[in-house]
Amino acid sequence: VQLVESGGGLVQAGGSLTLSCAASGSVFSINVMAWYRQAPGKQRELVAEIDADGAPNYADSVKGRFTISRDNAKNTVYLQMNSLKPEDTAVYYCNADRIRNRVGSYVYDRWGQGTQVTVSS
């Protein structure tokens, strides 16, 4: 199972970006999909997560500005980022946990390669 992110880039403060992450390979279902980020010199932190039923959870720093969603038919998770701030600058990573494959077994804790988001002031 591979996770491939897209949608990062450079944007001015106050702007918007949408990140996408698609899981490929033998995927039947995915329990939790999430976005993390890591800024230079800082630890990786949870930005938002969403369970299989679509219930989201957000870090306090992004509540009201970011929206996580998923398309289970496409095994894809999205992160709509609005009102971006320079402090949102980081490499954003997609994560998928408890992935059921088509033969009925599970894999856990898969990560994408990361996509850079840079917000200029």
Side-chain angles (χ1 to χ4, degrees), residues 1-6 20-24 33-36 38 44 77 91-97 99 109-115:
V1 175
Q2 290 186 322
L3 302 180
V4 178
E5 299 119 332
S6 61
S20 300
C21 171
S24 63
M33 302 188 80
W35 288 96
Y36 287 74
Q38 187 166 19
R44 191 172 297 189
V77 63
V91 178
Y92 283 69
Y93 296 91
C94 175
N95 177 270
D97 196 26
I99 303 164
D109 202 27
R110 285 288 189 266
W111 291 91
Q113 80 285 356
T115 186

Side-chain angles (χ1 to χ4, degrees), residues 21-41:
C21 171
S24 63
S26 178
V27 179
F28 179 77
S29 64
I30 303 173
N31 186 13
V32 177
M33 302 188 80
W35 288 96
Y36 287 74
R37 67 186 180 187
Q38 187 166 19

